[in-house]
Amino acid sequence: MRSLFIWGKRSTCLLALLMLAPPARPIVSNPAKPQFLEEKIGSASIGSPEQRILAAIDHIRNGRLADARATVNALLLEQPNYRLAHLLSGDLYAMRTMPLNNIGAGSGKLATDQLNDLRKEALARITNRKTKEPQALLPAHLLVFAPSQQYAILVDAAASRIYVFKNVDGVPSYVTDHYATIGKLGADKFKEGDQRTPLGVYFVTSHLTRSYLDKTRGAQADLYGVGAWPISFPNEIDKSEGRTGSGIWLHGVPANTYARAPWASNGCVAMTNEEMLDIAQYIQIGQTPVVIVPKAEWVSKVEWQSRHDAALSLIDGWREEWESLKTQPYLNRYAKQFKSDDGQDLATWSHQKTLVSAGKRWSKVHLDELSIFTSGGPNPRLTTSFKQDYRSNNLDNQMKKRQYWQQEDGAWKIIFEGAAT
């Protein structure tokens, strides 16, 4: 009975450590006389590496330390470079003879920054397990899919999580999600080298295979693991705001690690190699949006439908006013801070459009392959992309266009418009 009592207290302590609570008190009554307890053989949990690391935490919570040990051991046989599993393994061994005051206290000489990174990873995974919204609700950021867009990727920077949603008759349907790494200094990239991940709506532009990276990057290719999928940063609005940088990719991790810390990249979004390959199967080059938000917003189907309808109505109102030569209502759709892709401000743009409209007797505007995504955050923006077919008595023009909208005086206004790049 005394042995069971001591193990129960130690399991409670380690649970507090895993939840990153304040330091707990020593868990043996006389630390000067530690007791070495013989541990029985446990039963290993099955599932993905993340499911098993969380199962080990559950076993500790329930006082099943032998099962925690068996689960961690089995996980390390499969993923020998899983550093968080090694950390937990060290703690489980250390608990046999000593009290622990924090997760990783049994890790020996592990550097402080490495230990803190592993603690952050543990917290990110534990926190996500409590979050059920992706399966029960819809992402407010994926409002309108173009018919050709089969999937969309949503990156929640605050949660260090990447989600995949399928376009099911225009409605986002949850497919999968994985732990992900973002920039060392967080999100909202502004300039080259600031080690931040950009926020906004981007598109996957290409696939850089591992063999290609080996040829072009040499030894540095290992940083990207199984390969890389570049995204379109800086996009049109980034450039208009003076944001700089390049080489923002979705990619894997080096061979000597299973996963990186939540904030550890130079601005890219990194996943375990297995999970990057899982995400890759849903990527359409040139089509798949990657929506990176400071914090994901989840809404009911009714609320999502309302926002979806409002977004479509907004774009159709703009199209109808332009087509009907309602020049002033059309120009009222543009923000005071508006910029065109050729650098025109609102005054110059309005003057030009007024002159052009005066020479029209009729016009027809048709939009195809329309998509609408929102970046969220305290200052949300709508990103609209579409194929535009414009015809009038003196001009026929077809182009792929992109607009960025934001709130101004309580209404959505266009702050950038131009050819999609």
Side-chain angles (χ1 to χ4, degrees):
M1 290 295 294
R2 177 174 172 78
S3 296
L4 290 175
F5 176 72
I6 294 174
W7 276 116
K9 294 190 72 177
R10 287 176 179 169
S11 65
T12 301
C13 181
L14 186 52
L15 172 61
L17 308 183
L18 290 167
M19 295 302 293
L20 309 186
R25 292 180 298 174
I27 53 178
V28 293
S29 58
N30 186 358
K33 297 180 179 180
Q35 297 187 27
F36 187 90
L37 301 177
E38 183 177 352
E39 188 175 339
K40 68 178 183 179
I41 298 176
S43 177
S45 297
I46 61 174
S48 69
E50 182 171 66
Q51 288 171 334
R52 283 189 281 178
I53 205 75
L54 293 174
I57 294 171
D58 287 340
H59 294 327
I60 296 168
R61 176 186 295 118
N62 296 320
R64 296 162 57 185
L65 300 184
D67 291 341
R69 160 61 52 203
T71 300
V72 170
N73 286 346
L75 179 51
L76 287 172
L77 283 175
E78 182 181 312
Q79 301 292 345
N81 294 324
Y82 195 173
R83 295 175 183 174
L84 181 57
H86 278 290
L87 188 72
L88 189 54
S89 176
D91 281 347
L92 283 167
Y93 274 117
M95 283 181 64
R96 293 178 171 185
T97 59
M98 59 184 288
L100 301 182
N101 292 324
N102 204 344
I103 183 173
S107 63
K109 298 181 179 180
L110 191 65
T112 301
D113 56 345
Q114 293 176 312
L115 182 56
N116 287 338
D117 282 346
L118 291 172
R119 288 171 175 165
K120 291 174 183 176
E121 180 187 341
L123 180 59
R125 294 185 186 277
I126 292 169
T127 302
N128 176 71
R129 204 261 294 273
K130 298 178 180 179
T131 304
K132 303 300 181 184
E133 285 87 347
Q135 291 86 354
L137 302 173
L138 297 180
H141 314 280
L142 311 180
L143 292 178
V144 179
F145 284 88
S148 61
Q149 290 170 331
Q150 299 176 25
Y151 299 94
I153 293 173
L154 175 65
V155 179
D156 184 336
S160 293
R161 208 77 191 173
I162 185 167
Y163 300 88
V164 177
F165 288 88
K166 184 177 182 180
N167 174 5
V168 179
D169 298 325
V171 180
S173 177
Y174 171 83
V175 176
T176 190
D177 66 281
H178 297 297
Y179 167 83
T181 294
I182 65 167
K184 293 176 182 176
L185 297 182
D188 200 12
K189 185 174 186 62
F190 191 83
K191 64 181 180 180
E192 179 81 35
D194 63 7
Q195 296 185 318
R196 293 180 179 270
T197 297
L199 296 174
V201 178
Y202 304 95
F203 296 86
V204 178
T205 61
S206 61
H207 173 205
L208 306 180
T209 65
R210 178 54 191 266
S211 60
Y212 172 81
L213 291 169
D214 285 334
K215 292 178 182 177
T216 58
R217 302 269 173 156
Q220 290 186 337
D222 185 52
L223 176 65
Y224 310 106
V226 293
W229 286 257
I231 63 173
S232 56
F233 176 86
N235 61 24
E236 299 86 359
I237 191 68
D238 291 327
K239 293 174 183 176
S240 74
E241 293 178 339
R243 296 176 185 264
T244 60
S246 61
I248 302 299
W249 302 348
L250 308 179
H251 64 74
V253 296
N256 66 352
T257 187
Y258 172 74
R260 298 175 68 184
W263 290 14
S265 78
N266 288 324
C268 295
V269 178
M271 288 151 275
T272 73
N273 289 317
E274 289 179 356
E275 292 169 347
M276 182 65 253
L277 290 176
D278 181 47
I279 293 287
Q281 67 181 312
Y282 305 109
I283 293 176
Q284 299 166 273
I285 303 302
Q287 288 281 353
T288 301
V290 178
V291 183
I292 309 176
V293 300
K295 182 177 177 59
E297 181 184 3
W298 308 100
V299 297
S300 68
K301 176 65 181 296
V302 171
E303 175 63 19
W304 179 88
Q305 189 67 52
S306 175
R307 298 190 190 192
H308 166 86
D309 294 345
L312 287 177
S313 178
L314 182 71
I315 304 307
D316 193 56
W318 166 84
R319 182 204 60 79
E320 191 276 333
E321 288 165 355
W322 187 21
E323 180 180 79
S324 302
L325 304 178
K326 300 175 182 177
T327 305
Q328 194 54 53
Y330 163 77
L331 291 174
N332 288 342
R333 299 275 183 175
Y334 291 81
K336 298 171 185 176
Q337 303 299 319
F338 170 78
K339 286 185 180 180
S340 67
D341 57 353
D342 58 359
Q344 295 184 68
D345 61 12
L346 180 60
T348 306
W349 174 270
S350 298
H351 178 70
Q352 178 191 12
K353 289 297 181 181
T354 300
L355 292 177
V356 170
S357 182
K360 302 292 183 184
R361 296 192 302 273
W362 61 270
S363 67
K364 294 290 182 183
V365 182
H366 177 74
L367 308 183
D368 194 18
E369 287 291 316
L370 171 65
S371 68
I372 307 175
F373 305 108
T374 176
S375 58
N379 297 302
R381 287 176 173 172
L382 294 175
T383 300
T384 68
S385 305
F386 47 85
K387 293 180 180 178
Q388 174 182 291
D389 186 354
Y390 176 89
R391 301 178 188 276
S392 70
N393 57 287
N394 56 10
L395 178 66
D396 288 351
N397 175 261
Q398 293 78 41
M399 66 181 296
K400 186 170 184 179
K401 182 176 281 188
R402 189 159 291 136
Q403 296 173 330
Y404 295 86
W405 300 63
Q406 72 179 24
Q407 289 279 324
E408 180 181 281
D409 299 327
W412 286 104
K413 299 293 182 75
I414 301 167
I415 59 168
F416 179 92
E417 178 177 306
T421 57

